[in-house]
Amino acid sequence: AGIGRVPLDNKLEVEGEASKTTAGSWGANSDARIKTDIATVTNALETLDSVRLVSFRYTDQYRAEHPSITGQRYLNVIAQEFQEVFPEYVKPSGEKLPDGSDILQVDTYPITIYTAAAVQELRRQLTEKDAQIQALKEEIEKIKAVIGL
């Protein structure tokens, strides 16, 4: 189904912006009983370092084809770059460029999960650093006691 456009590749496509009456994400089934091959996200900080976040404006030609798009600056990623890090989250949109090549679309949801995993990694690193600092303080106090400070 298309709202304001003919759907090209997805079951539901919307021209322009969409909203809900309350804040929050769209729900997705996430029950452990429907999952297999579960793996904890690791190396989140390093992975996020590989994702370039950009601000941009859409081209005049693309805006002419999609009047709901304004001339404002938008925030996102570049599909070709994102594909290098998260290949399964980039696919053709169904729209074509004048040369016949596919316009790519991205599902940036991995950034949300990797950001949360990065916060967990940073917390572990901070805890380790705090322990190291405490050990160094104790060592300094011992040295001060030996030299009479």
Side-chain angles (χ1 to χ4, degrees), residues 36-69:
T36 186
D37 196 23
I38 297 168
T40 300
V41 171
T42 59
N43 299 316
L45 289 168
E46 184 177 330
T47 301
L48 285 176
D49 272 347
S50 301
V51 176
R52 182 167 70 120
L53 306 171
V54 299
S55 69
F56 63 94
R57 288 190 175 88
Y58 285 100
T59 64
D60 291 341
Q61 180 178 344
Y62 192 71
R63 287 179 44 220
E65 295 169 9
H66 300 278
S68 63
I69 298 174

Short mmCIF file of all heavy atoms in Angstrom, two decimals, residues 36-69:
data_model
loop_
_atom_site.label_atom_id
_atom_site.label_comp_id
_atom_site.label_asym_id
_atom_site.label_seq_id
_atom_site.Cartn_x
_atom_site.Cartn_y
_atom_site.Cartn_z
N THR A 36 17.00 -17.66 16.98
CA THR A 36 18.04 -18.67 16.96
C THR A 36 19.36 -17.99 16.63
O THR A 36 19.38 -16.84 16.18
CB THR A 36 17.71 -19.78 15.94
OG1 THR A 36 18.69 -20.81 16.05
CG2 THR A 36 17.69 -19.27 14.52
N ASP A 37 20.47 -18.66 16.88
CA ASP A 37 21.79 -18.13 16.53
C ASP A 37 22.01 -16.75 17.16
O ASP A 37 22.48 -15.82 16.51
CB ASP A 37 21.96 -18.09 15.02
CG ASP A 37 23.41 -17.92 14.61
OD1 ASP A 37 24.31 -18.27 15.40
OD2 ASP A 37 23.65 -17.41 13.49
N ILE A 38 21.65 -16.60 18.42
CA ILE A 38 21.75 -15.33 19.15
C ILE A 38 23.21 -15.06 19.51
O ILE A 38 23.90 -15.95 20.00
CB ILE A 38 20.88 -15.36 20.42
CG1 ILE A 38 19.41 -15.53 20.04
CG2 ILE A 38 21.09 -14.10 21.26
CD1 ILE A 38 18.50 -15.86 21.20
N ALA A 39 23.68 -13.86 19.25
CA ALA A 39 25.05 -13.46 19.58
C ALA A 39 25.03 -12.06 20.18
O ALA A 39 24.31 -11.18 19.70
CB ALA A 39 25.94 -13.49 18.33
N THR A 40 25.82 -11.85 21.22
CA THR A 40 25.95 -10.53 21.83
C THR A 40 26.70 -9.59 20.88
O THR A 40 27.67 -9.99 20.25
CB THR A 40 26.72 -10.64 23.16
OG1 THR A 40 25.97 -11.51 24.03
CG2 THR A 40 26.90 -9.29 23.83
N VAL A 41 26.24 -8.36 20.78
CA VAL A 41 26.91 -7.37 19.96
C VAL A 41 28.22 -7.00 20.65
O VAL A 41 28.24 -6.66 21.83
CB VAL A 41 26.03 -6.12 19.77
CG1 VAL A 41 26.80 -4.99 19.10
CG2 VAL A 41 24.78 -6.47 18.99
N THR A 42 29.32 -7.10 19.92
CA THR A 42 30.64 -6.77 20.44
C THR A 42 31.32 -5.77 19.51
O THR A 42 30.86 -5.53 18.39
CB THR A 42 31.52 -8.03 20.58
OG1 THR A 42 31.65 -8.64 19.30
CG2 THR A 42 30.91 -9.02 21.56
N ASN A 43 32.40 -5.20 19.98
CA ASN A 43 33.17 -4.21 19.20
C ASN A 43 32.29 -3.06 18.72
O ASN A 43 32.47 -2.55 17.61
CB ASN A 43 33.87 -4.87 18.01
CG ASN A 43 34.86 -5.92 18.44
OD1 ASN A 43 35.61 -5.72 19.38
ND2 ASN A 43 34.83 -7.07 17.79
N ALA A 44 31.37 -2.65 19.56
CA ALA A 44 30.43 -1.61 19.17
C ALA A 44 31.11 -0.27 18.93
O ALA A 44 30.79 0.43 17.97
CB ALA A 44 29.33 -1.46 20.23
N LEU A 45 32.06 0.09 19.80
CA LEU A 45 32.74 1.38 19.62
C LEU A 45 33.48 1.41 18.29
O LEU A 45 33.40 2.39 17.54
CB LEU A 45 33.73 1.62 20.77
CG LEU A 45 33.10 1.94 22.12
CD1 LEU A 45 34.15 1.87 23.22
CD2 LEU A 45 32.45 3.31 22.08
N GLU A 46 34.20 0.36 18.00
CA GLU A 46 34.95 0.28 16.74
C GLU A 46 34.00 0.29 15.55
O GLU A 46 34.25 0.97 14.55
CB GLU A 46 35.80 -1.00 16.74
CG GLU A 46 36.68 -1.13 15.52
CD GLU A 46 37.56 -2.37 15.59
OE1 GLU A 46 37.94 -2.79 16.71
OE2 GLU A 46 37.86 -2.91 14.52
N THR A 47 32.91 -0.43 15.64
CA THR A 47 31.94 -0.48 14.54
C THR A 47 31.34 0.90 14.30
O THR A 47 31.25 1.36 13.16
CB THR A 47 30.83 -1.51 14.83
OG1 THR A 47 31.44 -2.79 15.01
CG2 THR A 47 29.83 -1.57 13.70
N LEU A 48 30.94 1.58 15.38
CA LEU A 48 30.36 2.92 15.22
C LEU A 48 31.36 3.91 14.65
O LEU A 48 30.97 4.83 13.91
CB LEU A 48 29.83 3.44 16.56
CG LEU A 48 28.53 2.81 17.03
CD1 LEU A 48 28.15 3.34 18.41
CD2 LEU A 48 27.40 3.02 16.04
N ASP A 49 32.64 3.73 14.95
CA ASP A 49 33.66 4.60 14.36
C ASP A 49 33.71 4.47 12.84
O ASP A 49 34.20 5.36 12.16
CB ASP A 49 35.04 4.29 14.94
CG ASP A 49 35.33 5.07 16.21
OD1 ASP A 49 34.60 6.03 16.51
OD2 ASP A 49 36.31 4.72 16.89
N SER A 50 33.21 3.36 12.32
CA SER A 50 33.22 3.12 10.88
C SER A 50 32.01 3.71 10.17
O SER A 50 31.92 3.66 8.95
CB SER A 50 33.26 1.61 10.60
OG SER A 50 34.40 1.03 11.18
N VAL A 51 31.07 4.25 10.94
CA VAL A 51 29.85 4.81 10.35
C VAL A 51 29.96 6.33 10.33
O VAL A 51 30.10 6.96 11.38
CB VAL A 51 28.59 4.39 11.16
CG1 VAL A 51 27.34 5.06 10.61
CG2 VAL A 51 28.44 2.87 11.16
N ARG A 52 29.92 6.88 9.13
CA ARG A 52 29.97 8.34 9.02
C ARG A 52 28.55 8.88 9.06
O ARG A 52 27.69 8.51 8.26
CB ARG A 52 30.65 8.77 7.72
CG ARG A 52 30.77 10.28 7.59
CD ARG A 52 31.71 10.69 6.48
NE ARG A 52 31.18 10.40 5.17
CZ ARG A 52 30.96 11.33 4.22
NH1 ARG A 52 31.24 12.60 4.46
NH2 ARG A 52 30.49 10.98 3.05
N LEU A 53 28.30 9.76 10.02
CA LEU A 53 27.01 10.43 10.15
C LEU A 53 27.12 11.76 9.42
O LEU A 53 28.10 12.49 9.59
CB LEU A 53 26.67 10.62 11.62
CG LEU A 53 26.73 9.33 12.46
CD1 LEU A 53 26.59 9.64 13.93
CD2 LEU A 53 25.67 8.35 12.01
N VAL A 54 26.12 12.07 8.60
CA VAL A 54 26.21 13.26 7.76
C VAL A 54 24.97 14.12 7.87
O VAL A 54 23.89 13.65 8.21
CB VAL A 54 26.43 12.87 6.28
CG1 VAL A 54 27.72 12.10 6.09
CG2 VAL A 54 25.26 12.09 5.71
N SER A 55 25.15 15.40 7.56
CA SER A 55 24.01 16.28 7.29
C SER A 55 24.08 16.60 5.80
O SER A 55 25.17 16.60 5.20
CB SER A 55 24.07 17.55 8.14
OG SER A 55 25.12 18.38 7.73
N PHE A 56 22.93 16.85 5.18
CA PHE A 56 22.90 17.03 3.73
C PHE A 56 21.59 17.67 3.32
O PHE A 56 20.65 17.79 4.11
CB PHE A 56 23.05 15.67 3.02
CG PHE A 56 21.91 14.74 3.33
CD1 PHE A 56 20.82 14.66 2.49
CD2 PHE A 56 21.92 13.96 4.48
CE1 PHE A 56 19.76 13.82 2.79
CE2 PHE A 56 20.85 13.12 4.78
CZ PHE A 56 19.77 13.06 3.94
N ARG A 57 21.53 18.05 2.05
CA ARG A 57 20.29 18.47 1.41
C ARG A 57 20.06 17.53 0.23
O ARG A 57 21.01 17.06 -0.40
CB ARG A 57 20.39 19.91 0.92
CG ARG A 57 20.37 20.93 2.03
CD ARG A 57 20.22 22.35 1.45
NE ARG A 57 20.08 23.30 2.53
CZ ARG A 57 21.08 23.90 3.14
NH1 ARG A 57 22.33 23.65 2.79
NH2 ARG A 57 20.86 24.75 4.11
N TYR A 58 18.80 17.29 -0.09
CA TYR A 58 18.48 16.49 -1.26
C TYR A 58 18.68 17.33 -2.51
O TYR A 58 18.53 18.56 -2.48
CB TYR A 58 17.04 15.98 -1.20
CG TYR A 58 16.87 14.84 -0.21
CD1 TYR A 58 16.37 15.07 1.06
CD2 TYR A 58 17.25 13.55 -0.56
CE1 TYR A 58 16.24 14.02 1.96
CE2 TYR A 58 17.12 12.51 0.34
CZ TYR A 58 16.62 12.75 1.59
OH TYR A 58 16.49 11.71 2.49
N THR A 59 19.01 16.67 -3.62
CA THR A 59 19.23 17.38 -4.88
C THR A 59 17.93 18.01 -5.36
O THR A 59 16.83 17.56 -5.02
CB THR A 59 19.74 16.42 -5.98
OG1 THR A 59 18.73 15.45 -6.26
CG2 THR A 59 21.04 15.74 -5.56
N ASP A 60 18.08 19.07 -6.16
CA ASP A 60 16.91 19.73 -6.72
C ASP A 60 16.07 18.76 -7.54
O ASP A 60 14.84 18.79 -7.48
CB ASP A 60 17.33 20.93 -7.59
CG ASP A 60 17.92 22.06 -6.76
OD1 ASP A 60 17.68 22.11 -5.54
OD2 ASP A 60 18.62 22.91 -7.36
N GLN A 61 16.73 17.90 -8.30
CA GLN A 61 15.99 16.93 -9.13
C GLN A 61 15.16 15.99 -8.27
O GLN A 61 13.99 15.74 -8.56
CB GLN A 61 16.96 16.14 -9.99
CG GLN A 61 16.26 15.12 -10.86
CD GLN A 61 17.21 14.35 -11.76
OE1 GLN A 61 18.34 14.74 -11.96
NE2 GLN A 61 16.71 13.24 -12.30
N TYR A 62 15.75 15.47 -7.18
CA TYR A 62 15.02 14.54 -6.32
C TYR A 62 13.87 15.25 -5.61
O TYR A 62 12.78 14.71 -5.48
CB TYR A 62 15.97 13.88 -5.31
CG TYR A 62 15.36 12.70 -4.60
CD1 TYR A 62 15.12 11.51 -5.26
CD2 TYR A 62 14.99 12.80 -3.26
CE1 TYR A 62 14.54 10.43 -4.62
CE2 TYR A 62 14.41 11.72 -2.60
CZ TYR A 62 14.19 10.53 -3.29
OH TYR A 62 13.61 9.47 -2.65
N ARG A 63 14.12 16.49 -5.20
CA ARG A 63 13.06 17.27 -4.55
C ARG A 63 11.92 17.55 -5.51
O ARG A 63 10.74 17.55 -5.13
CB ARG A 63 13.62 18.57 -3.97
CG ARG A 63 14.45 18.32 -2.72
CD ARG A 63 15.05 19.57 -2.11
NE ARG A 63 14.12 20.67 -2.05
CZ ARG A 63 14.45 21.93 -2.32
NH1 ARG A 63 15.68 22.25 -2.65
NH2 ARG A 63 13.54 22.88 -2.21
N ALA A 64 12.22 17.78 -6.79
CA ALA A 64 11.17 18.03 -7.78
C ALA A 64 10.29 16.79 -7.95
O ALA A 64 9.08 16.91 -8.16
CB ALA A 64 11.80 18.42 -9.12
N GLU A 65 10.89 15.60 -7.81
CA GLU A 65 10.12 14.36 -7.92
C GLU A 65 9.35 14.05 -6.65
O GLU A 65 8.42 13.24 -6.67
CB GLU A 65 11.08 13.20 -8.25
CG GLU A 65 11.74 13.33 -9.60
CD GLU A 65 12.88 12.34 -9.81
OE1 GLU A 65 13.06 11.44 -8.96
OE2 GLU A 65 13.62 12.49 -10.80
N HIS A 66 9.74 14.66 -5.53
CA HIS A 66 9.12 14.42 -4.22
C HIS A 66 8.85 15.77 -3.56
O HIS A 66 9.63 16.24 -2.73
CB HIS A 66 10.05 13.57 -3.34
CG HIS A 66 10.36 12.24 -3.95
ND1 HIS A 66 9.51 11.17 -3.85
CD2 HIS A 66 11.42 11.82 -4.68
CE1 HIS A 66 10.04 10.13 -4.48
NE2 HIS A 66 11.20 10.50 -5.00
N PRO A 67 7.75 16.41 -3.92
CA PRO A 67 7.46 17.77 -3.43
C PRO A 67 7.38 17.89 -1.91
O PRO A 67 7.50 18.99 -1.37
CB PRO A 67 6.12 18.11 -4.07
CG PRO A 67 5.97 17.16 -5.21
CD PRO A 67 6.75 15.93 -4.85
N SER A 68 7.18 16.79 -1.20
CA SER A 68 7.09 16.89 0.26
C SER A 68 8.46 17.12 0.91
O SER A 68 8.54 17.50 2.07
CB SER A 68 6.46 15.62 0.84
OG SER A 68 7.29 14.50 0.57
N ILE A 69 9.52 16.91 0.16
CA ILE A 69 10.88 17.11 0.70
C ILE A 69 11.20 18.59 0.61
O ILE A 69 11.09 19.21 -0.44
CB ILE A 69 11.92 16.28 -0.08
CG1 ILE A 69 11.62 14.79 0.06
CG2 ILE A 69 13.32 16.60 0.40
CD1 ILE A 69 12.51 13.90 -0.78
#
